[in-house]
Amino acid sequence: MNVTLEVSALSKTYGSGEQAVHAVRNAAFSTQPGEFVAVVGPSGSGKTTLLAMIGGLLRPTAGAIVVNGRDIAGLGRGEQAAYRRDTVGYVFQANNLLPFLTARENLLVMAKITRANGKTAGARADRLLAELGLERRANAVATELSGGEKQRVAIGRALMNDLALVLVDEPTASLDSARGRQVVLSLIAEVKQRGKLGLMVTHDMDMAMLADRILSMHDGEMTEIAKPSPAAG
């Protein structure tokens, strides 16, 4: 798969004049295939806005978002919809599951969108549910699942179609530390084994430390945090 991302001079401003809110200011970074990057920072720092722009959900005010050589910031509405469908697996803070479907069916809906082979899709759904510790809850209707279970189903759904970008917003917020670590490690394995790119917004520095790199945002501005070497503890 070997996806690359280059973000340059990226900004998002809401409103104008004295009422302007600069959600993201001149952000810039680039990635290599197989990288898993954490984005940390306080609430309101611009993390979710950054993720939404990279995911094609928000149009930037300025700057470029180049995915495999194509600047998606300037795509038309139809092209952006195709980009989201064919390239981006997105996990929102709200799980947005279809409440009348089972956990397994929520994953299989994604395969139907791309008309994937039913047998292959079924096997992938079962594997993802097992990796996320949900094999015993596969046939539970979404309304019967706990908050943490719903979040794990949402993660499985984002991975279902084997898309190049895996964008996750607070994936461990509803999970205990042990389950959260398991989920993040599953995401990292998926990204690295297939040459994808993973971007994870999180408040949890323990989870962020599992990533290859950590980007910090404060008042819309981005810096990179140097991870301590293993020898430094």
Side-chain angles (χ1 to χ4, degrees), residues 166-194:
V166 181
L167 308 181
V168 290
D169 197 352
E170 299 288 356
T172 64
S174 302
L175 306 176
D176 60 42
S177 57
R179 183 67 75 182
R181 182 180 178 86
Q182 176 190 354
V183 164
V184 173
L185 290 175
S186 293
L187 286 167
I188 291 172
E190 178 77 15
V191 166
K192 292 192 173 300
Q193 289 167 7
R194 299 282 292 143

Side-chain angles (χ1 to χ4, degrees), residues 107-119:
L107 269 63
L108 292 175
V109 162
M110 303 307 296
K112 290 181 180 179
I113 291 173
T114 58
R115 300 180 181 178
N117 176 276
K119 185 175 181 180

